[in-house]
Amino acid sequence: MSQTLQHMRLGLFIQAAGHHASGWRYPGAQSGSENFALIKQLTLAAEQACLDMVFFGDKLVTSPQEHPSMIVRFEPLTLLGSLASITDKIGLAATASTTYGEPYSVARQFGTLDHISAGRAAWNVVTTGYDSAANFSRATHPNHDLRYEVAEEFVDVVRGLWDSFDDEAYVRDAESGVYLDADKMHRLDHRGKHFSIDGPLNLTRSPQGHPVLIQAGSSGPGMSLAARIAEVVFTAQQDIETARQFYGDLKRQVMAQGRKPEHCLVMPGIMPILGASAAEAQDNFERLQQWTNIDNALTLVGERLGQDVSGFDLDQPLPDLPLPENMKSRARLLLDMSHRDGLTLRQICNLVAGARGHKIVVGTPAQVADEMIAWFEGEAADGFNLMPPHFPEGLDSFISGVLPILRQRGVFRHEYSGATLREHLGLPRPAHRRWNGQI
Ligand SMILES: Cc1cc2nc3c(=O)[nH]c(=O)nc-3n(C[C@H](O)[C@H](O)[C@H](O)COP(=O)(O)O)c2cc1C
């Protein structure tokens, strides 16, 4: 928690078949990433609970061995467009790739979402670790450094396009006949290494000025990008010490960029597994874990480590493996846990199948609240991205059990005080680049 934050920020990461790989098998779970009625119900419940935002991730390839929530999934921007019209307050965040997208389209999609939601849009900038070339008529998947080099330029172009108009350009004065003040409309004329884009975007500046920028890669280049442009950082850490280290490193990099640390919020993923007693919570966790199929779990671990691990001994720590080209920071976390903490491949499989490497907290509502507060007050997190193991009960039990304790302890809001996502998160509205001397 930075000195100036009074409340933790809470987002709901929605994967409707549940975040635990076996969550869909839990009694009462409504499974199916294509269950739109459930997605609406979860979004409305999150808004009723005054959470900051709902978030939908994205991946551009699939296979039958995927996590059940990821085998099929809706295109997130289309989904958020529809959720915008049934909600009033909650932030609407989605992933879009800088490797397989086009800046003009991304600027337009999130700009439109910000307009139609009256200032609630957020873009999770990812470089896409998984090779998706075959679905985009590309010969190869670009390497890690190149992906981040492209991402830096991509984000700058999108931000430039969002400033295609001055705030007060849209005159629409019936009396004078001035519909739009053409002097307040600006071409971008970007000529860079990877993109050549004229602009202007065919959208005026949106209610938030710019949609909120989220970033979700924690490798060296990922952190550099985050420090320069991200207003929220999604991350995955298992223990408070590693989380504190990441938090401190990132905030120092943010300040070195001349930015305020509280304008780059760190939100690790957390999977709460709840029970009325600690023993009941542990039973619930074990029930989920026992359904885990080891072959699928090995595939998920192999994807993160960038190589086939099915031949390794399940009951030994992992051998020394080189960092892969795709998910560097995730691979680093898993290898560290195995080498430093002695976790066997089987234990790593359980962790990854459980929460894909995010933190799992098993306990009573009070124990889960205590852990969250310890991270928030211990400068390990500014808030969390909630990843319930199954839906809807995994969310409902968090809202009815943990949230009242967080409120009682004064670390979470009782009601929304603002209207836009920037206001919920305490982020400033970005000045137009004209005022930064860039036009
Ligand atoms: C909470 C969270 C959500 C993420 N969502 C996505 C996503 O939807 N799509 C994606 O391709 N990557 C997503 N990522 C990011 C990838 O994990 C990231 O691209 C990968 O770690 C490679 O980047 P890195 O080497 O900088 O860590 C997410 C990460 C986190 C922590």
Side-chain angles (χ1 to χ4, degrees):
M1 172 184 72
S2 86
Q3 309 268 311
T4 52
L5 292 193
Q6 285 169 347
H7 290 168
M8 60 174 71
R9 280 45 172 166
L10 290 180
L12 174 65
F13 186 171
I14 298 185
Q15 290 195 156
H19 280 280
H20 194 289
S22 305
W24 63 279
R25 298 176 69 179
Y26 199 82
Q30 292 182 35
S31 71
S33 299
E34 294 173 336
N35 185 343
F36 185 47
L38 175 63
I39 293 171
K40 284 195 283 191
Q41 176 190 331
L42 299 173
T43 303
L44 290 170
E47 182 169 67
Q48 180 98 36
C50 301
L51 301 191
D52 292 274
M53 60 181 154
V54 288
F55 163 64
F56 294 85
D58 201 18
K59 202 171 162 182
L60 305 166
V61 283
T62 191
S63 80
Q65 286 82 36
E66 279 279 4
H67 187 293
S69 276
M70 298 185 185
I71 297 175
V72 292
R73 64 202 313 164
F74 287 143
E75 190 288 306
L77 263 297
T78 313
L79 191 56
L80 288 186
S82 116
L83 295 175
S85 66
I86 61 157
T87 51
D88 292 316
K89 295 281 190 194
I90 195 157
L92 303 165
T95 292
S97 171
T98 54
T99 300
Y100 294 102
E102 278 291 329
Y104 190 89
S105 306
V106 167
R108 199 171 178 216
Q109 287 164 325
F110 283 93
T112 300
L113 182 65
D114 208 43
H115 275 286
I116 65 178
S117 66
R120 295 182 286 132
W123 169 29
N124 178 33
V125 178
V126 304
T127 59
T128 302
Y130 300 96
D131 185 342
S132 313
N135 288 338
F136 291 84
S137 314
R138 307 268 185 95
T140 52
H141 180 57
N143 69 37
H144 192 267
D145 285 351
L146 177 58
R147 290 204 307 277
Y148 273 105
E149 184 184 296
V150 170
E152 295 271 358
E153 190 180 333
F154 192 117
V155 175
D156 288 343
V157 172
V158 170
R159 294 201 294 192
L161 288 170
W162 281 333
D163 286 348
S164 290
F165 291 84
D166 292 354
D167 278 317
E168 66 284 9
Y170 207 6
V171 182
R172 285 172 296 171
D173 181 355
E175 205 143 301
S176 65
V178 178
Y179 184 69
L180 197 120
D181 183 344
D183 291 343
K184 293 180 173 164
M185 179 176 183
H186 312 286
R187 281 167 66 101
L188 184 65
D189 286 328
H190 173 86
R191 302 288 171 257
K193 186 166 170 195
H194 302 286
F195 301 104
S196 177
I197 288 164
D198 288 357
L201 187 67
N202 51 0
L203 267 185
T204 57
R205 223 166 175 248
S206 68
Q208 295 191 99
H210 295 176
V212 171
L213 287 177
I214 306 174
Q215 198 276 343
S218 306
S219 59
M223 285 176 77
S224 303
L225 176 65
R228 189 170 73 82
I229 60 97
E231 300 173 294
V232 173
V233 172
F234 286 162
T235 177
Q237 271 98 26
Q238 285 292 320
D239 62 273
I240 190 164
E241 267 321 308
T242 317
R244 281 172 64 104
Q245 206 174 344
F246 175 83
Y247 185 101
D249 284 353
L250 181 67
K251 298 275 178 169
R252 276 187 288 280
Q253 290 190 37
V254 169
M255 287 187 282
Q257 291 281 342
R259 302 177 61 207
K260 291 190 176 165
E262 65 272 22
H263 293 165
C264 181
L265 302 162
V266 178
M267 294 175 63
I270 183 174
M271 177 181 285
I273 311 237
L274 294 161
S277 63
E280 187 184 298
Q282 191 59 36
D283 282 351
N284 289 340
F285 182 47
E286 277 161 23
R287 180 152 24 153
L288 288 164
Q289 292 295 84
Q290 89 194 0
W291 285 318
T292 300
N293 170 331
I294 194 72
D295 292 331
N296 282 2
L298 282 167
T299 307
L300 296 177
V301 172
E303 268 185 353
R304 277 160 179 73
L305 293 174
Q307 63 175 282
D308 182 4
V309 295
S310 58
F312 297 147
D313 188 338
L314 274 169
D315 296 308
Q316 291 295 324
L318 285 162
D320 253 332
L321 299 172
L323 284 184
E325 260 308 320
N326 56 355
M327 313 266 287
K328 279 194 202 288
S329 60
R330 291 299 184 81
R332 177 81 278 151
L333 279 174
L334 296 182
L335 289 171
D336 279 354
M337 281 191 283
S338 195
H339 300 157
R340 186 193 55 209
D341 308 331
L343 261 62
T344 63
L345 176 54
R346 191 184 303 279
Q347 288 169 313
I348 298 274
C349 281
N350 280 337
L351 272 178
V352 170
R356 306 192 307 287
H358 292 265
K359 182 171 177 56
I360 303 176
V361 195
V362 183
T364 61
Q367 287 171 324
V368 170
D370 280 348
E371 183 82 5
M372 292 173 75
I373 292 170
W375 280 49
F376 178 60
E377 293 183 344
E379 302 207 325
D382 295 314
F384 298 90
N385 208 8
L386 301 172
M387 301 171 56
H390 44 77
F391 290 110
E393 199 265 337
L395 173 63
D396 294 343
S397 58
F398 182 88
I399 290 175
S400 62
V402 182
L403 273 192
I405 301 173
L406 296 177
R407 290 194 169 114
Q408 207 183 354
R409 304 267 296 267
V411 293
F412 193 62
R413 67 167 71 83
H414 289 262
E415 52 192 38
Y416 291 110
S417 55
T420 67
L421 178 57
R422 287 187 176 280
E423 287 165 353
H424 303 337
L425 295 172
L427 297 170
R429 189 176 190 274
H432 192 285
R433 65 198 179 98
R434 168 186 281 263
W435 308 122
N436 296 334
Q438 289 176 274
I439 295 185

